[in-house]
Amino acid sequence: MVIFFGPPGAGKSVQGQLLAARHGWRWLSTGQLLRDAKSLELQEIMTRGDFVSDKKINDVIDQALSLADSIDDVVLDGYPRKIEQAQWLLDNLPRHNRKITIVIFLNVSNEVIFQRLRIRGRADDSEGSIAKRSEEYSEKTEPVMEYLSAKGIDVLKVDGEGSVGTVHDRVEKALQSCIQK
Ligand code: AMP
């Protein structure tokens, strides 16, 4: 399992999909799974930039991992976003016969992030929601990297600036360095 980390707008989804497509793996984005659920209640939470409850999000990822049982590997994007979720993941991975190969942190400057979010134009990309999501990211999500690293998992920082292809090459290199260890 490969986990993509980074603030909203860092390019997790683009890079996650590309990596999964290249290797024949499944891309699992909790944000996309929640949007696909077409639930008004969930949409309201997302529009505000709030987090969906741990119970709901863990159920979503549990189901998605079950559906991916026959796929060689999976790429997680947008999960775990809290220590509690990371804990749940570590506790439940053995049940899904998976383990975390690498956590890739996409390092991107604030300037580039705002540029990318502006181009993307997703329904929940209002100024208020972006501010809320950035705040949640710094407070709750950033500490997850330390947590996973302390559990002995490889966390690699990758320069996320530049073209999609350039960043993808860096991601692939980071992954290979980890696999060959
Ligand atoms: P994303 O597509 O990753 O930017 O996620 C969009 C929205 O889905 C977030 O702003 C949250 O409202 C919700 N969401 C996605 N992943 C999670 C998660 N792991 N925990 C809580 N809420 C989540």
Side-chain angles (χ1 to χ4, degrees):
M1 168 178 286
V2 176
I3 298 180
F4 272 95
F5 238 90
K12 298 185 295 291
S13 294
V14 170
Q15 292 302 328
Q17 288 179 74
L18 209 52
L19 189 73
R22 175 173 184 161
H23 292 274
W25 298 340
R26 184 162 297 171
W27 170 66
L28 292 181
S29 148
T30 41
Q32 192 59 47
L33 290 165
L34 293 170
R35 282 187 290 278
D36 289 346
K38 305 258 179 265
S39 144
L40 261 182
E41 194 191 332
L42 291 174
Q43 269 164 24
E44 273 172 21
I45 297 172
M46 288 190 274
T47 306
R48 289 197 303 267
D50 285 336
F51 278 178
V52 168
S53 75
D54 288 348
K55 167 86 180 84
K56 174 70 196 170
I57 209 78
N58 291 340
D59 280 355
V60 163
I61 206 78
D62 197 34
Q63 201 181 16
L65 285 173
S66 295
L67 287 170
D69 258 0
S70 61
I71 312 281
D72 276 354
D73 213 340
V74 293
V75 175
L76 292 198
D77 157 12
Y79 184 95
R81 259 175 159 99
K82 285 168 69 182
I83 296 215
E84 292 85 346
Q85 294 177 7
Q87 232 159 16
W88 183 92
L89 186 66
L90 291 178
D91 288 347
N92 287 275
L93 277 182
R95 194 162 47 79
H96 289 287
N97 290 317
R98 302 261 183 217
K99 57 181 191 301
I100 303 170
T101 313
I102 185 175
V103 175
I104 294 172
F105 169 67
L106 289 176
N107 195 28
V108 178
S109 69
N110 283 340
E111 218 180 7
V112 171
I113 282 174
F114 275 101
Q115 221 169 17
R116 286 185 183 166
L117 286 174
R118 200 167 49 85
I119 297 167
R120 186 168 78 173
R122 216 169 64 190
D124 59 345
D125 281 343
S126 70
E127 234 171 78
S129 157
I130 290 174
K132 179 75 189 162
R133 276 184 283 149
S134 301
E135 192 186 303
E136 293 283 56
Y137 175 79
S138 318
E139 267 178 35
K140 296 174 184 154
T141 310
E142 234 168 22
V144 173
M145 273 187 294
E146 272 295 311
Y147 175 82
L148 290 175
S149 178
K151 296 273 175 192
I153 294 161
D154 283 316
V155 179
L156 260 80
K157 192 192 266 193
V158 169
D159 178 1
E161 295 195 4
S163 72
V164 169
T166 306
V167 177
H168 173 68
D169 289 345
R170 292 185 196 127
V171 166
E172 182 65 26
K173 216 167 131 191
L175 176 62
Q176 291 309 327
S177 75
C178 221
I179 290 172
Q180 277 153 21
K181 258 199 330 201

